[in-house]
Amino acid sequence: KQWYQRRVRGAMDIVSESKSWNCIYPAYINSNRSIERGRRIPKEKAVDNPTYQEIGDVVRSLGLNHELQPTKHYCRELDRERWQLGRVKVQLCDGEGAPLHETIHTKRQLMEYCAAMIPKLKTRSSKPADNQQPGASGKNKKKKGRK
């Protein structure tokens, strides 16, 4: 019986390691959300419709330990569409409470940094170019009244 208890405790230790990490949902930094619907940073600093993959890319660039959880959803999400799913768990401090990054010490600093860096991602910079193509074809429209 002792061997079984040790084995179960060991498995629980692995799971509980990321349990104390900070959790970042995309709704926290979404500028289209109200504070009541879950936004946690000022609207001026927030970003339009971030995804958990984009948050994960920014956290990976910082070199922090993180875990992507694509099946989790934010409790205040009314419609659970696929692009709204997911969260990122991030370890900001070690077991003794010392910060692991030299400039980012709090969850709020991390959220504001993610919101500032997501528009600079390559995946984001290619999206506006696609949106500009239909506007460019508008220049070749036929003018009314001329033949």
Side-chain angles (χ1 to χ4, degrees), residues 28-81:
Y28 290 174
I29 60 174
N30 191 345
S31 63
N32 297 328
R33 298 268 176 223
S34 64
I35 290 176
E36 292 82 20
R37 296 250 343 256
R39 181 173 41 85
R40 295 199 177 179
I41 62 174
K43 198 168 197 170
E44 299 80 35
K45 295 181 179 182
V47 65
D48 289 339
N49 298 323
T51 62
Y52 77 94
Q53 293 101 338
E54 292 171 334
I55 297 170
D57 290 342
V58 173
V59 172
R60 186 180 306 113
S61 71
L62 289 171
L64 292 171
N65 293 333
H66 68 286
E67 179 184 347
L68 297 176
Q69 297 178 337
T71 58
K72 301 294 183 179
H73 68 274
Y74 187 49
C75 60
R76 294 187 193 175
E77 291 289 346
L78 301 176
D79 47 346
R80 295 184 178 134
E81 295 181 22

Side-chain angles (χ1 to χ4, degrees), residues 10-144:
M12 293 305 286
D13 289 341
I14 293 169
V15 172
S16 65
E17 180 182 327
S18 67
K19 214 171 196 178
S20 63
W21 293 2
N22 288 300
C23 187
I24 308 286
Y25 286 98
Y28 290 174
I29 60 174
N30 191 345
S31 63
N32 297 328
R33 298 268 176 223
S34 64
I35 290 176
E36 292 82 20
R37 296 250 343 256
R39 181 173 41 85
R40 295 199 177 179
I41 62 174
K43 198 168 197 170
E44 299 80 35
K45 295 181 179 182
V47 65
D48 289 339
N49 298 323
T51 62
Y52 77 94
Q53 293 101 338
E54 292 171 334
I55 297 170
D57 290 342
V58 173
V59 172
R60 186 180 306 113
S61 71
L62 289 171
L64 292 171
N65 293 333
H66 68 286
E67 179 184 347
L68 297 176
Q69 297 178 337
T71 58
K72 301 294 183 179
H73 68 274
Y74 187 49
C75 60
R76 294 187 193 175
E77 291 289 346
L78 301 176
D79 47 346
R80 295 184 178 134
E81 295 181 22
R82 206 170 107 193
W83 66 272
Q84 295 174 334
L85 287 177
R87 72 177 178 194
V88 180
K89 301 226 28 174
V90 183
Q91 183 181 17
L92 290 177
C93 299
D94 59 4
E96 299 169 358
L100 295 173
H101 195 266
E102 59 256 0
T103 57
I104 296 177
H105 305 296
T106 64
K107 183 175 181 177
R108 185 178 180 96
Q109 289 174 338
L110 178 64
M111 289 188 294
E112 289 179 358
Y113 181 80
C114 287
M117 296 308 290
I118 285 176
K120 298 176 185 175
L121 290 174
K122 289 181 182 178
T123 56
R124 281 288 173 126
S125 61
S126 65
K127 286 181 183 176
D130 294 339
N131 292 340
Q132 290 175 359
Q133 287 177 353
S137 64
K139 293 179 182 177
N140 297 331
K141 285 185 180 178
K142 206 174 192 183
K143 294 184 179 180
K144 293 183 180 180

